[in-house]
Amino acid sequence: MGKLSTHVLDITLGQAGVGVQIELYAVEAGGKRLLKTELTNHDGRCNAPLLEGADLKAGLYELVFAAGDYFDAQGHTLPSPKFIDRVTLAFGIADVTQNYHVPLVVSPWAYSTYRGS
């Protein structure tokens, strides 16, 4: 069976995003359902996969990263409101036998993602 994982890379500092709060939602017909909330570790990763085994189901998901809070904690002086605050990555899982790695590469002014394995 596959798994879902993520990590955060702070490209302002060129290092892992430590202590970033991440919320994982399942997107369903009736709306979004919070599946879990995690904090990134010293390597910018969660300590375990976000979903794996029978918990990994085909469907639509969202990862919401509290990037603005992270940059505040780093001591950045940012405008109010922040340009980048809560970053939402919406994606689909089609094949539960594969690994889905959905990282966030972020600065206070831009972000990107890609599908890793």
Side-chain angles (χ1 to χ4, degrees):
M1 296 295 284
K3 66 183 177 192
L4 171 63
S5 60
T6 189
H7 77 269
V8 178
L9 177 62
D10 175 345
I11 58 173
T12 304
L13 299 174
Q15 65 188 32
V18 178
V20 178
Q21 180 177 299
I22 302 169
E23 298 168 341
L24 172 64
Y25 293 89
V27 180
E28 302 166 335
K32 296 190 302 185
R33 180 171 49 94
L34 179 64
L35 299 177
K36 65 173 47 176
T37 302
E38 297 283 338
L39 282 177
T40 57
N41 62 22
H42 69 280
D43 197 29
R45 300 175 184 277
C46 298
N47 290 324
L50 295 169
L51 295 173
E52 64 183 328
D55 291 333
L56 183 66
K57 298 179 182 356
L60 299 175
Y61 294 89
E62 288 183 1
L63 284 169
V64 181
F65 298 82
D69 292 344
Y70 164 78
F71 287 116
D72 283 344
Q74 298 304 307
H76 290 277
T77 301
L78 300 173
S80 181
K82 297 174 184 82
F83 183 70
I84 301 292
D85 193 7
R86 291 178 55 84
V87 176
T88 301
L89 302 180
F91 60 97
I93 292 178
D95 183 350
V96 298
T97 66
Q98 294 188 19
N99 293 333
Y100 289 80
H101 185 69
V102 184
L104 176 67
V105 179
V106 66
S107 83
W109 310 108
Y111 67 88
S112 66
T113 192
Y114 56 90
R115 180 183 169 197
S117 58

